[in-house]
Amino acid sequence: MPSNHSSPLPVLSLLLAATLWGISWYPVRWLEQNGLPGLWSSLLMYASVVIISLPLLWRRRAEAARRPWLLAALALSAGWCNVAFILAIIDGNVVRVLLLFYLSPLWAIVLGRILLGERIPARAWLTIALAMSGALIMLWQPADADGLSAKTFALGTTDWLAISSGFMFALSNVLVRKVQDISIPVKTIVVWWGGVFLAGLCLALTAAPLPEFQPQIFAAAALLGGLGIMVMTLTVQYGVTHLPVHQSAVILLFELVAGAVSAQLLSDETLRVQEWTGGLIIIIAAYFSARPGKPSSRVKRSD
């Protein structure tokens, strides 16, 4: 499927997805606070959307069987990305988790070149550098009395979850573009199955106890999956299918801004001037990345 550089729909789709993912920390934290741990909420959310999609998957089972190994890789990478992100955003600082997650454009450049043969134009490198400089400005913390801020460089469990989630996000987006002969609905359903599998596997490996059954909370998790996860996944799939990896990766950095603003409004987390400055730089980078490029900058795809 060729990239649609003239239509604004892929860009708008990714901006919507980034906004929704940026505020997704609030409902999953609410579920956690009301007795539904992150792994269980992940399982319920993805299971509910998988159940809804079963009739469509059955009708398109022949299509799904054409690329079993690549689709399995997509399921695993997307499942890891989504479950790790939910676990990180529940316990970690929202902005810090999003910043570490959005090292993903760096991984996307490398993976896009290796797996897709994408030729990255000079302007793309500049926008990536600009976006990452904004992220670094947001992440940087002043030095302490000894000259360095250990907090800036010490990575905890939530930090590693965020980094691994970002890497798997980049990998899943590259795989979405690699299987261009598979329709967006099938790829989307595969992503949901990956969330069910990874959440279920983690629950089994950790022998997590069953949460107390609360109908309202379970219903809220199912609704979040059946509606929220469906919309967020479809918009990401549509955007990354129609845009080069380097462009979609930078546009999705808008999630940082959505997360930072929502954290400012809905939690006790505060933003410093440098974090607002970094967010503005990221918006500028996303704008330049979203502008149509010259013909020579279009991707070279190897399926």
Side-chain angles (χ1 to χ4, degrees), residues 145-298:
D146 297 326
L148 284 176
S149 176
K151 187 177 180 181
T152 298
F153 302 102
L155 300 177
T157 301
T158 56
D159 296 329
W160 285 115
L161 283 170
I163 292 171
S164 68
S165 178
F167 179 84
M168 290 299 181
F169 179 71
L171 177 58
S172 64
N173 284 349
V174 169
L175 290 172
V176 164
R177 282 188 61 79
K178 189 169 182 65
V179 288
Q180 295 281 24
D181 57 330
I182 303 297
S183 65
I184 292 177
V186 170
K187 289 185 285 190
T188 301
I189 295 171
V190 165
V191 167
W192 295 335
W193 275 101
V196 171
F197 176 78
L198 262 295
L201 179 63
C202 290
L203 286 169
L205 292 177
T206 58
L210 286 169
E212 179 185 353
F213 179 70
Q214 303 179 69
Q216 302 92 331
I217 303 304
F218 277 57
L223 180 62
L224 181 59
L227 181 61
I229 296 295
M230 179 181 292
V231 172
M232 291 189 289
T233 310
L234 284 171
T235 49
V236 169
Q237 291 276 343
Y238 179 80
V240 302
T241 297
H242 290 84
L243 292 174
V245 169
H246 65 82
Q247 189 173 352
S248 61
V250 177
I251 295 171
L252 284 168
L253 282 167
F254 187 75
E255 183 179 341
L256 277 170
V257 180
V261 172
S262 62
Q264 177 88 351
L265 296 175
L266 300 174
S267 74
D268 56 359
E269 297 179 14
T270 58
L271 291 178
R272 297 164 293 173
V273 173
Q274 72 180 64
E275 290 166 331
W276 285 112
T277 303
L280 178 61
I281 292 174
I282 289 169
I283 294 174
I284 294 172
Y287 167 75
F288 282 112
S289 176
R291 292 179 59 187
K294 297 179 181 179
S296 60
S297 70
R298 296 193 178 190

Side-chain angles (χ1 to χ4, degrees), residues 104-152:
S104 59
L106 300 180
W107 317 136
I109 290 177
V110 176
L111 293 170
R113 288 178 65 90
I114 293 173
L115 298 179
L116 300 178
E118 286 195 351
R119 181 165 52 84
I120 308 299
R123 193 183 74 172
W125 288 101
L126 291 175
T127 55
I128 288 290
L130 183 62
M132 296 314 299
S133 68
L136 289 174
I137 288 173
M138 293 180 74
L139 184 61
W140 180 80
Q141 296 187 30
D144 56 22
D146 297 326
L148 284 176
S149 176
K151 187 177 180 181
T152 298

Side-chain angles (χ1 to χ4, degrees), residues 35-47:
L36 193 62
L39 283 175
W40 283 106
S41 62
S42 299
L43 182 63
L44 281 173
M45 286 188 293
Y46 283 99

